[in-house]
Structures are given as C-alpha cells and as structure tokens.
Amino acid sequence: MFSSIEDVIERFAKGNYIASRRIATVIYLATELQKPVLVEGPAGRGQNRFSRKCSRRRSAFNMIRLQCYEGLDEGKALYEWEYAKQLLYTQILKDKISEVLVGAQGLKEAVDRIAAQDEVFFSERFVLPRPLLKAISSEERSVLLIDEIDKADAEFEAFLLELLSDFQVTVPELGTLKAKHIPLVILTSNNAREMFRRAETPMPASVYRLPDRAQELAIVKLKVPEAAGKLAEGSRHGGSIAAQARSQKDPGNQ
C-alpha cells in the first residue's frame, strides 16, 4: 500500500510514470478506502497504461481486465458452467452412475438419486471464472480494470456497482463467495453516455486531462530526452503538443 500521496508520486516515478498530485491523491484515497476508481476522459489518453502502472506499483502479480460492450451480461462477466466438461465427466463416469441407479424403484427414485449427486457436477471444479470472479477469488492482490464501462448497459452497470460495494457474489450451487483480497478496481469511461449519478456511487474519480506544459515537458524528458530541448523551445513561444489537442472539451469542464 501507499503511506502518503507523496509516496504514490515517488513510487510511480520509479516506474517511469509521472503522476500529477491530483492523480496521486485519487489513487491514495482509493487504496486507503478500498473503493473503486473512476477514470474519465476521451479514448487514447492512457487510461489502460495508468492501470498497468497501478498494478506494478501495488506489487500485484496480475491485472485482470474486463472489456465492456453493449449486451455484456452477468454470465459473460462473472462465471459460466463448463457444460462440455460436465458432459465429458458423465460419459467417463457412466458406469458409476449406473451403480447409483441400481435398485431404484421407479423414475422418481432414480431422479432423486441423481439429484443427490448434484454437488459433484456443480462444484468449483466445473466453474469457468470470468474476470469479475477471477478478481474476487484471486489468491494474490490484483488490479481489476473495467474498461469502457460507459459502453455497457445500465442494467449491467447496476449489477456491477452492487458487486463492487461488498466484493462478494452468490453462486446458487456454491453459496456466497467473498473476496480473498480486495482488488484495486479501476473503471474507465470515454463518456459515450451519461452514467450513474455520483451521489449514488461514492468513489474517488479523476478526469484524465491532457498535461499542462510543465508536465508535458517532464514526460518528454523522461521518454524522449533528445526531443526535450525542442519542446522547451516551442513552449517558450506559446506552443505545446497538448495544446493542439485541446479542441476536444475536457469532460470535467463541461
């Protein structure tokens, strides 16, 4: 974890990522409060790279990504049963199943005997975890990236926020599964549609804005040192790379 906002800035810098104080504050609050982070901004501003850096700075060994899209539902995001595997096992174990049915008096008793073995075929052995269940059941600390949440339907958004409120999920055949380690959850939005009201979903949030001139120069010095001189010269004359992209309104200023 991070000990302070300055610690966030320093540890990100060690990973060659320049985090502004605003971003560092959001990350610090998210880790301290164990709340999801909402990162808003137009596509192409580095939200995914930011998530990868969070994973590395948090000493997490895995980053789990859920790509949202229209029509995404609970089954595709949470878990599915491996029906093909279940069928294969029934074929392999058909002799054992026949033994269970020996002496059954009528169809009802035969069904009851088979039903008594449900836990064999509806166990964790046959669960195919999707990103959300992977994050909840992970044996290691993880970062869960829920990418482009604004592309998902409102119904899925409501389900997701309920799951993230207590980090547990109920699977009818297995019971309630609670997170072994609370993941750091980062939701990104490209503002494709109006999302949930902030008052109903208290979480640290950050609008991913273009860097100012000073930060832009620091980034270039870090990534392309040989170009830093030319950029600094351009800045003195009132121009910058980021300024050319500011024609698109920042969602935080609308």
Side-chain angles (χ1 to χ4, degrees):
M1 292 295 182
F2 303 104
S3 60
S4 65
I5 296 172
E6 287 70 23
D7 184 41
V8 176
I9 295 173
E10 290 175 5
R11 289 168 65 177
F12 268 68
K14 290 178 181 178
N16 292 333
Y17 187 95
I18 298 175
S20 67
R21 188 171 185 82
R22 178 171 52 83
I23 290 177
T25 300
V26 168
I27 291 299
Y28 177 71
L29 289 174
T31 54
E32 284 295 301
L33 301 175
Q34 294 187 328
K35 294 290 187 180
V37 178
L38 173 62
V39 182
E40 295 179 290
R45 291 196 179 181
Q47 291 96 319
N48 286 0
R49 184 169 180 272
F50 167 72
S51 303
R52 289 194 296 271
K53 288 296 180 181
C54 285
S55 175
R56 293 169 186 167
R57 293 306 99 199
R58 202 178 182 224
S59 300
F61 293 97
N62 60 327
M63 186 181 80
I64 301 168
R65 180 172 179 265
L66 172 64
Q67 175 63 52
C68 296
Y69 53 87
E70 186 177 352
L72 177 65
D73 59 24
E74 180 179 334
K76 296 172 184 174
L78 191 56
Y79 74 94
E80 291 181 302
W81 290 106
E82 291 192 89
Y83 294 114
K85 186 176 180 180
Q86 290 171 322
L87 181 60
L88 176 62
Y89 271 61
T90 57
Q91 293 298 317
I92 294 174
L93 299 173
K94 61 182 179 181
D95 292 337
K96 290 293 182 182
I97 294 174
S98 297
E99 291 177 12
V100 171
L101 297 176
V102 171
Q105 301 296 317
L107 181 61
K108 182 180 184 303
E109 185 178 347
V111 171
D112 289 342
R113 290 190 182 186
I114 292 296
Q117 307 301 318
D118 275 354
E119 68 275 7
V120 174
F121 293 100
F122 288 92
S123 62
E124 291 188 24
R125 184 192 306 273
F126 297 101
V127 171
L128 181 62
R130 296 302 185 188
L132 295 181
L133 185 57
K134 283 182 180 179
I136 289 176
S137 59
S138 176
E139 298 288 346
E140 306 167 336
R141 292 182 298 175
S142 61
V143 171
L144 173 61
L145 169 62
I146 302 175
D147 205 10
E148 299 181 313
I149 180 62
D150 51 320
K151 290 186 177 180
D153 299 325
E155 293 78 8
F156 177 77
E157 185 181 294
F159 155 76
L160 179 64
L161 293 175
E162 181 179 354
L163 184 148
L164 295 180
S165 67
D166 50 16
F167 291 98
Q168 66 179 31
V169 63
T170 298
V171 178
E173 297 84 355
L174 302 178
T176 300
L177 305 177
K178 296 183 179 180
K180 298 177 180 179
H181 299 282
I182 301 297
L184 172 59
V185 182
I186 300 175
L187 304 97
T188 70
S189 167
N190 295 335
N191 301 294
R193 66 171 173 82
E194 183 179 354
M195 299 201 317
F196 40 77
R197 290 182 294 177
R198 295 284 174 76
E200 297 176 351
T201 56
M203 67 177 70
S206 176
V207 175
Y208 224 74
R209 298 188 178 94
L210 293 168
D212 57 28
R213 291 178 183 174
Q215 190 177 17
E216 182 183 86
L217 183 57
I219 293 170
V220 174
K221 281 183 177 179
L222 178 66
K223 300 296 183 180
V224 194
E226 62 274 14
K230 293 182 179 178
L231 181 62
E233 181 66 26
S235 296
R236 283 195 293 271
H237 289 85
S240 71
I241 297 172
Q244 299 175 16
R246 297 188 191 278
S247 56
Q248 183 173 6
K249 288 185 179 180
D250 239 340
N253 295 330
Q254 289 181 0

